[in-house]
Amino acid sequence: MKRVAVIGVGLTKFGELWDASFSQLFVEAGTRAINDAGIDGTDVDALYVGNMSGGRFIDQEHISCLIADYAGLTPIPATRVEAACASGGLAIRQGVMAILSGMHEVVVVGGVEKMTDLSTERTTQTLATASDSEWEAFMGMTFPGLYAMMARRHMHEYGTTREQLAMVAVKNHENALHNPYAQFHVRITVEQVLGSPLVADPLRLLDCSPITDGAACVVLASEERAKEFTDSPVFITGSGQASSSIALHSRESITFVDATYNAGQEAYARAGRSPAEVQVAEVHDAFTIGEILAIEGLGLVERGEGGRATEEGETAIGGRIPVNTSGGLKAKGHPVGATGVAQVVEVVLQLRGEAGKRQVDADVGLAHNVGGSGGTAVVHILER
Ligand code: COA
């Protein structure tokens, strides 16, 4: 496909942010991205915003114009994009398609979520609306519960060990130590993961991504317009999106996320790349098993080998294919609507050589965002 340039990126700190409102978070990330791009508001043709559930988290719908208004971007078209935890990745894809269609030349894409104003119980219920409400949530199923079943089955089919799951969390917490925007700056051990409170057997507290407030933003431009603003853009060279059954019980396999596979195949084909050429990846580790399923579905490791590859350090910084250098959803945090955009921000920082102590050597990167337990997946390939 034709390339689309990422000319600016911006993040807020991720965490429990009591002193910032939903729109303030977006404006902070957006201002950073616009300043980074060296443009001003009058250059922006359109705004896309990933957000899962403003209505339930903060009693606010109609967030597209809310954000355009607070960001001073009216009257440009502003569009909200929703696909549960894949809302941010999908918003990026909408921005890419808007530019490739020729409709727009410079587009701001952001993602935002404010989750910590609710109790954990109500947050869990809100997140569970991204499952099949009739067959899963109404029966008491939660996201930790769904991923626990995937983990248990993966352990049964492939011999993945409880310790290997823990090693995903240990690695991602280690990476987050070097990410100033991350929610957690705490080194953890396998023993601590195994000793943390049980959430949904076999997953424990330290296997789970946290509940997070935060926003992320990128500025996209056509290749022609990008030259006006920067000599060193990062390009989105491939985009893929796929859907699958929303309910886990309808899938042929619960140890292979077919939407991840299909979105990855589309993104690789559009970029003219293979999994072997990817040198850094941000993947959807909402739970530790999620990272293992992601790297297998994306072909970064063989099917069933995710646990072993993690244990052998292949996915660590300095390993064969560093995964979640930002700390991932696990330790950087997971403000659901912002996550897919924040993943692209991290890959851009890596490709620009601006990732500080977590820097890896990469020309080709990948971002992978999942909605629900795999009903939606979005994959982007980025290159410098
Ligand atoms: N990882 C590491 N530490 C965590 C954590 C996590 N996921 N969640 C909470 N903590 C820490 C808190 O910082 C706090 O530490 P402190 O005592 O030092 O301040 C402590 O654990 C207790 O926090 P609390 O907020 O009381 O935890 P909780 O029991 O309310 O929530 C979970 C814990 C795991 C239930 C919650 O984080 C969760 O639901 N995560 C999954 C979110 C999710 O499903 N996202 C969508 C995926 S598709």
Side-chain angles (χ1 to χ4, degrees):
M1 73 180 208
K2 268 186 85 178
R3 308 188 298 181
V4 169
V6 184
I7 60 170
V9 296
L11 288 174
T12 64
K13 171 100 176 75
F14 280 11
E16 197 166 344
L17 308 175
W18 290 100
D19 54 355
S21 73
F22 178 85
S23 28
Q24 279 172 327
L25 289 175
F26 190 93
V27 170
E28 185 182 327
T31 304
R32 287 192 176 138
I34 282 179
N35 289 343
D36 183 46
I39 63 170
D40 66 42
T42 59
D43 293 310
V44 181
D45 299 328
L47 170 68
Y48 291 86
V49 185
N51 174 253
M52 175 179 163
S53 197
R56 291 185 63 131
F57 283 124
I58 56 155
D59 288 329
Q60 177 72 62
E61 302 288 13
H62 205 185
I63 61 132
S64 49
C65 79
L66 174 94
I67 283 170
D69 180 10
Y70 278 70
L73 288 174
T74 54
I76 63 165
T79 307
R80 172 183 176 173
V81 180
E82 189 275 312
C85 306
S87 300
L90 200 52
I92 298 259
R93 185 168 155 97
Q94 298 309 306
V96 166
M97 293 198 301
I99 289 173
L100 292 183
S101 75
M103 180 81 87
H104 299 305
E105 293 183 325
V106 178
V107 169
V108 170
V109 181
V112 57
E113 208 79 55
K114 190 145 178 55
M115 301 170 72
T116 67
D117 291 356
L118 298 183
S119 65
T120 299
E121 291 73 18
R122 285 193 56 207
T123 296
T124 303
Q125 265 182 346
T126 297
L127 292 168
T129 61
S131 68
D132 185 329
S133 284
E134 201 172 351
W135 287 99
E136 295 180 325
F138 287 176
M139 303 299 159
M141 186 47 78
T142 62
F143 270 99
L146 289 165
Y147 275 91
M149 289 197 288
M150 296 159 101
R152 187 57 85 196
R153 187 72 201 173
H154 203 277
M155 292 163 86
H156 173 75
E157 283 180 21
Y158 298 113
T160 302
T161 65
R162 204 15 293 207
E163 287 74 12
Q164 288 170 343
L165 294 176
M167 288 169 196
V168 172
V170 170
K171 168 182 71 70
N172 292 348
H173 270 255
E174 190 69 30
N175 293 350
L177 290 173
H178 305 299
N179 183 351
Y181 293 93
Q183 182 160 356
F184 296 123
H185 292 117
V186 187
R187 180 169 282 129
I188 58 171
T189 63
V190 168
E191 292 67 35
Q192 281 172 311
V193 180
L194 302 186
S196 63
L198 195 58
V199 175
D201 194 21
L203 300 180
R204 294 177 175 272
L205 177 81
L206 291 174
D207 288 292
C208 304
S209 59
I211 294 165
T212 310
D213 304 327
C217 221
V218 300
V219 180
L220 304 180
S222 63
E223 191 165 356
E224 298 69 36
R225 280 306 293 286
K227 290 183 190 133
E228 279 177 40
F229 305 112
T230 174
D231 295 330
S232 52
V234 166
F235 291 104
I236 295 179
T237 56
S239 176
Q241 178 191 349
S243 54
S244 184
S245 61
I246 186 166
L248 211 50
H249 64 243
S250 301
R251 307 232 182 107
E252 202 172 303
S253 164
I254 65 167
T255 57
F256 191 74
V257 181
D258 56 317
T260 290
Y261 173 79
N262 288 321
Q265 291 298 306
E266 183 193 346
Y268 291 133
R270 289 193 186 280
R273 294 286 183 187
S274 70
E277 292 174 287
V278 174
Q279 294 163 311
V280 64
E282 287 288 301
V283 308
H284 202 91
D285 60 326
F287 300 93
T288 47
I289 183 64
E291 179 166 315
I292 288 173
L293 294 169
I295 58 179
E296 293 179 8
L298 293 165
L300 301 177
V301 301
E302 293 294 319
R303 194 164 170 170
E305 294 290 306
R308 178 206 55 76
T310 306
E311 181 167 8
E312 292 178 6
E314 287 185 29
T315 55
I317 291 175
R320 180 178 64 80
I321 167 69
V323 173
N324 285 329
T325 54
S326 68
L329 285 53
K330 171 68 209 74
K332 180 183 58 184
H334 184 23
V336 284
T339 283
V341 181
Q343 292 174 318
V344 169
V345 171
E346 174 68 9
V347 176
V348 168
L349 293 176
Q350 287 287 354
L351 296 179
R352 283 186 190 170
E354 295 174 6
K357 286 188 178 164
R358 60 186 197 283
Q359 184 65 51
V360 301
D361 185 17
D363 296 316
V364 180
L366 177 151
H368 160 260
N369 195 197
V370 172
S373 61
T376 301
V378 184
V379 176
H380 286 104
I381 309 286
L382 294 101
E383 306 187 35
R384 68 174 171 197

